Amino acid sequence: EAGVTQFPSHSVIEKGQTVTLRCDPISGHDNLYWYRRVMGKEIKFLLHFVKESKQDESGMPNNRFLAERTGGTYSTLKVQPAELEDSGVYFCASSQPGSYEQYFGPGTRLTVT
Amino acid sequence: AQSVTQPDIHITVSEGASLELRCNYSYGATPYLFWYVQSPGQGLQLLLKYFSGDTLVQGIKGFEAEFKRSQSSFNLRKPSVHWSDAAEYFCAVGAYGTSYGKLTFGQGTILTVHP
């Protein structure tokens, strides 16, 4: 069974540009989470989808971030426009319905210059 | 506010030595806890988990952790460290009563293993 996959693995963009990160959860996992680790800091929760619905988006830093999960399968996280402080590693995780156990992807390293 | 503390940012041990990584949490609700490991260039791998019951839990790669409610701790241990254990380790805590939601992570502990 394939694990959580994320694309791209690394993205380098200039300040003011737009970037879209993609996450493919494990098949059958209704729960999908986004987290972010800014350099030197802890991994922080961004938001949680249950199928296509946003269950909790309390961790989204501001309205430059837009997450979608159309059809309840893969999810995208768009940053527009990107700022220097958005640099970090963005992790996606998924879990089965009714499970607290989250499986993480390899992360996307975003560098904003 | 919920918080997780890993007091040691960096630990160095010799191969074959024992290891203990500390994790303390502050949570208003009944917690469930995880330890994850991230090797260089890899994603987060689940080492072990505690939901309820026996407070000593066994994980993969010979790791174990003990949940101590009175001390609000969930320390990770391994009796004999291997060079391949060099990685960054994260303690993460969630709260029952939420909708299978967010985890709060500690800052991570980088483990270096000397031959």
Short mmCIF file of all heavy atoms in Angstrom, two decimals, chain B residues 8-38:
data_model
loop_
_atom_site.label_atom_id
_atom_site.label_comp_id
_atom_site.label_asym_id
_atom_site.label_seq_id
_atom_site.Cartn_x
_atom_site.Cartn_y
_atom_site.Cartn_z
N ASP B 8 15.61 18.55 25.46
CA ASP B 8 16.94 18.36 24.86
C ASP B 8 16.86 18.59 23.36
O ASP B 8 16.20 17.82 22.66
CB ASP B 8 17.46 16.96 25.15
CG ASP B 8 17.49 16.68 26.64
OD1 ASP B 8 18.13 17.47 27.36
OD2 ASP B 8 16.86 15.70 27.07
N ILE B 9 17.54 19.63 22.88
CA ILE B 9 17.53 19.91 21.44
C ILE B 9 18.43 18.92 20.71
O ILE B 9 18.13 18.48 19.60
CB ILE B 9 18.00 21.35 21.17
CG1 ILE B 9 17.09 22.34 21.90
CG2 ILE B 9 18.04 21.64 19.68
CD1 ILE B 9 15.66 22.30 21.46
N HIS B 10 19.56 18.57 21.36
CA HIS B 10 20.54 17.72 20.71
C HIS B 10 21.14 16.78 21.76
O HIS B 10 21.55 17.25 22.84
CB HIS B 10 21.65 18.58 20.10
CG HIS B 10 22.50 17.86 19.08
ND1 HIS B 10 23.36 18.51 18.24
CD2 HIS B 10 22.63 16.54 18.79
CE1 HIS B 10 23.98 17.63 17.46
NE2 HIS B 10 23.54 16.43 17.78
N ILE B 11 21.17 15.50 21.45
CA ILE B 11 21.78 14.50 22.33
C ILE B 11 22.78 13.69 21.54
O ILE B 11 22.50 13.31 20.39
CB ILE B 11 20.70 13.58 22.95
CG1 ILE B 11 19.97 14.31 24.07
CG2 ILE B 11 21.32 12.30 23.47
CD1 ILE B 11 18.95 13.47 24.80
N THR B 12 23.92 13.43 22.14
CA THR B 12 24.94 12.60 21.52
C THR B 12 25.21 11.40 22.41
O THR B 12 25.44 11.56 23.62
CB THR B 12 26.25 13.38 21.31
OG1 THR B 12 25.99 14.51 20.46
CG2 THR B 12 27.30 12.50 20.65
N VAL B 13 25.17 10.21 21.83
CA VAL B 13 25.46 8.99 22.58
C VAL B 13 26.41 8.13 21.76
O VAL B 13 26.52 8.29 20.54
CB VAL B 13 24.19 8.19 22.93
CG1 VAL B 13 23.24 9.02 23.78
CG2 VAL B 13 23.50 7.71 21.67
N SER B 14 27.05 7.22 22.43
CA SER B 14 27.90 6.25 21.74
C SER B 14 27.07 5.04 21.34
O SER B 14 26.10 4.68 22.02
CB SER B 14 29.04 5.80 22.64
OG SER B 14 29.88 6.89 22.96
N GLU B 15 27.45 4.44 20.23
CA GLU B 15 26.74 3.24 19.79
C GLU B 15 26.81 2.18 20.87
O GLU B 15 27.87 1.95 21.48
CB GLU B 15 27.36 2.71 18.49
CG GLU B 15 26.54 1.61 17.83
CD GLU B 15 26.99 1.30 16.43
OE1 GLU B 15 28.12 1.67 16.07
OE2 GLU B 15 26.22 0.69 15.67
N GLY B 16 25.67 1.57 21.15
CA GLY B 16 25.61 0.56 22.18
C GLY B 16 25.16 1.10 23.54
O GLY B 16 24.77 0.34 24.42
N ALA B 17 25.20 2.41 23.70
CA ALA B 17 24.77 3.02 24.95
C ALA B 17 23.25 3.07 25.00
O ALA B 17 22.56 2.96 23.98
CB ALA B 17 25.36 4.42 25.09
N SER B 18 22.74 3.26 26.21
CA SER B 18 21.29 3.42 26.37
C SER B 18 20.89 4.84 26.06
O SER B 18 21.71 5.77 26.07
CB SER B 18 20.87 3.04 27.79
OG SER B 18 21.47 3.93 28.71
N LEU B 19 19.59 5.01 25.79
CA LEU B 19 19.08 6.31 25.36
C LEU B 19 17.76 6.60 26.06
O LEU B 19 16.92 5.70 26.23
CB LEU B 19 18.83 6.31 23.84
CG LEU B 19 18.15 7.54 23.26
CD1 LEU B 19 19.08 8.74 23.30
CD2 LEU B 19 17.70 7.26 21.83
N GLU B 20 17.60 7.84 26.48
CA GLU B 20 16.30 8.30 26.95
C GLU B 20 16.07 9.71 26.42
O GLU B 20 16.87 10.61 26.67
CB GLU B 20 16.18 8.28 28.47
CG GLU B 20 14.78 8.73 28.93
CD GLU B 20 14.54 8.52 30.42
OE1 GLU B 20 15.49 8.70 31.21
OE2 GLU B 20 13.40 8.16 30.79
N LEU B 21 15.00 9.89 25.69
CA LEU B 21 14.60 11.20 25.19
C LEU B 21 13.37 11.64 25.97
O LEU B 21 12.40 10.90 26.06
CB LEU B 21 14.30 11.16 23.69
CG LEU B 21 15.42 10.66 22.78
CD1 LEU B 21 14.99 10.74 21.32
CD2 LEU B 21 16.70 11.43 23.00
N ARG B 22 13.42 12.86 26.44
CA ARG B 22 12.36 13.34 27.31
C ARG B 22 11.27 14.09 26.56
O ARG B 22 11.54 14.79 25.58
CB ARG B 22 12.95 14.24 28.39
CG ARG B 22 13.90 13.51 29.35
CD ARG B 22 14.43 14.47 30.40
NE ARG B 22 15.35 15.45 29.84
CZ ARG B 22 15.73 16.56 30.47
NH1 ARG B 22 15.24 16.85 31.66
NH2 ARG B 22 16.60 17.39 29.91
N CYS B 23 10.05 13.92 27.07
CA CYS B 23 8.90 14.63 26.53
C CYS B 23 7.96 14.95 27.68
O CYS B 23 7.55 14.04 28.41
CB CYS B 23 8.18 13.79 25.48
SG CYS B 23 6.62 14.51 24.91
N ASN B 24 7.63 16.20 27.83
CA ASN B 24 6.65 16.64 28.82
C ASN B 24 5.53 17.40 28.11
O ASN B 24 5.79 18.12 27.15
CB ASN B 24 7.31 17.53 29.88
CG ASN B 24 8.31 16.78 30.70
OD1 ASN B 24 9.51 16.78 30.42
ND2 ASN B 24 7.83 16.10 31.72
N TYR B 25 4.33 17.22 28.61
CA TYR B 25 3.21 17.87 27.95
C TYR B 25 2.34 18.60 28.95
O TYR B 25 2.34 18.28 30.15
CB TYR B 25 2.37 16.83 27.18
CG TYR B 25 1.69 15.84 28.09
CD1 TYR B 25 0.42 16.08 28.59
CD2 TYR B 25 2.34 14.67 28.48
CE1 TYR B 25 -0.19 15.19 29.44
CE2 TYR B 25 1.74 13.78 29.33
CZ TYR B 25 0.47 14.04 29.80
OH TYR B 25 -0.12 13.16 30.67
N SER B 26 1.60 19.54 28.44
CA SER B 26 0.61 20.26 29.24
C SER B 26 -0.66 20.31 28.40
O SER B 26 -0.70 20.95 27.35
CB SER B 26 1.10 21.68 29.55
OG SER B 26 0.09 22.42 30.20
N TYR B 27 -1.67 19.58 28.88
CA TYR B 27 -2.90 19.45 28.10
C TYR B 27 -4.09 19.54 29.03
O TYR B 27 -4.06 18.98 30.11
CB TYR B 27 -2.92 18.10 27.36
CG TYR B 27 -2.75 18.23 25.87
CD1 TYR B 27 -1.54 18.66 25.33
CD2 TYR B 27 -3.78 17.93 25.00
CE1 TYR B 27 -1.38 18.78 23.97
CE2 TYR B 27 -3.62 18.06 23.63
CZ TYR B 27 -2.42 18.48 23.12
OH TYR B 27 -2.26 18.61 21.77
N GLY B 28 -5.14 20.16 28.58
CA GLY B 28 -6.32 20.27 29.42
C GLY B 28 -7.17 19.01 29.38
O GLY B 28 -7.87 18.70 30.34
N ALA B 29 -7.13 18.29 28.28
CA ALA B 29 -7.97 17.10 28.11
C ALA B 29 -7.10 15.85 28.23
O ALA B 29 -5.88 15.92 28.31
CB ALA B 29 -8.64 17.16 26.75
N THR B 30 -7.75 14.71 28.26
CA THR B 30 -7.02 13.45 28.29
C THR B 30 -6.24 13.28 27.00
O THR B 30 -6.82 13.35 25.92
CB THR B 30 -7.99 12.27 28.46
OG1 THR B 30 -8.73 12.47 29.66
CG2 THR B 30 -7.23 10.96 28.54
N PRO B 31 -4.93 13.08 27.11
CA PRO B 31 -4.12 13.05 25.89
C PRO B 31 -3.92 11.65 25.32
O PRO B 31 -4.05 10.64 26.02
CB PRO B 31 -2.78 13.60 26.37
CG PRO B 31 -2.67 13.07 27.77
CD PRO B 31 -4.09 13.05 28.32
N TYR B 32 -3.58 11.62 24.07
CA TYR B 32 -2.97 10.44 23.48
C TYR B 32 -1.64 10.92 22.90
O TYR B 32 -1.50 12.10 22.56
CB TYR B 32 -3.86 9.76 22.43
CG TYR B 32 -4.40 10.65 21.35
CD1 TYR B 32 -3.71 10.85 20.16
CD2 TYR B 32 -5.63 11.30 21.52
CE1 TYR B 32 -4.21 11.67 19.16
CE2 TYR B 32 -6.14 12.13 20.54
CZ TYR B 32 -5.43 12.31 19.35
OH TYR B 32 -5.93 13.13 18.37
N LEU B 33 -0.66 10.03 22.82
CA LEU B 33 0.68 10.49 22.54
C LEU B 33 1.39 9.61 21.52
O LEU B 33 1.13 8.40 21.45
CB LEU B 33 1.52 10.52 23.83
CG LEU B 33 0.93 11.34 24.97
CD1 LEU B 33 0.29 10.42 26.03
CD2 LEU B 33 1.99 12.20 25.63
N PHE B 34 2.30 10.23 20.79
CA PHE B 34 3.08 9.54 19.79
C PHE B 34 4.54 9.97 19.89
O PHE B 34 4.86 11.06 20.34
CB PHE B 34 2.62 9.89 18.36
CG PHE B 34 1.16 9.64 18.08
CD1 PHE B 34 0.24 10.67 18.11
CD2 PHE B 34 0.72 8.37 17.76
CE1 PHE B 34 -1.10 10.45 17.83
CE2 PHE B 34 -0.62 8.13 17.48
CZ PHE B 34 -1.52 9.17 17.50
N TRP B 35 5.41 9.09 19.42
CA TRP B 35 6.76 9.46 19.07
C TRP B 35 6.95 9.17 17.58
O TRP B 35 6.61 8.08 17.10
CB TRP B 35 7.79 8.66 19.86
CG TRP B 35 8.11 9.24 21.21
CD1 TRP B 35 7.58 8.88 22.41
CD2 TRP B 35 9.03 10.30 21.49
NE1 TRP B 35 8.13 9.64 23.42
CE2 TRP B 35 9.02 10.51 22.88
CE3 TRP B 35 9.89 11.08 20.71
CZ2 TRP B 35 9.82 11.47 23.51
CZ3 TRP B 35 10.69 12.02 21.32
CH2 TRP B 35 10.65 12.21 22.71
N TYR B 36 7.48 10.18 16.88
CA TYR B 36 7.82 10.04 15.47
C TYR B 36 9.32 10.23 15.32
O TYR B 36 9.97 10.94 16.10
CB TYR B 36 7.11 11.11 14.63
CG TYR B 36 5.63 10.91 14.43
CD1 TYR B 36 4.71 11.46 15.31
CD2 TYR B 36 5.15 10.20 13.34
CE1 TYR B 36 3.35 11.29 15.12
CE2 TYR B 36 3.80 10.03 13.12
CZ TYR B 36 2.90 10.58 14.01
OH TYR B 36 1.55 10.41 13.80
N VAL B 37 9.87 9.64 14.25
CA VAL B 37 11.28 9.81 13.94
C VAL B 37 11.41 10.26 12.49
O VAL B 37 10.67 9.81 11.61
CB VAL B 37 12.08 8.51 14.18
CG1 VAL B 37 11.57 7.36 13.33
CG2 VAL B 37 13.57 8.73 13.93
N GLN B 38 12.33 11.18 12.28
CA GLN B 38 12.61 11.64 10.92
C GLN B 38 14.09 11.46 10.63
O GLN B 38 14.93 12.16 11.22
CB GLN B 38 12.21 13.11 10.73
CG GLN B 38 12.38 13.59 9.30
CD GLN B 38 11.96 15.03 9.09
OE1 GLN B 38 11.98 15.84 10.01
NE2 GLN B 38 11.56 15.35 7.88
#
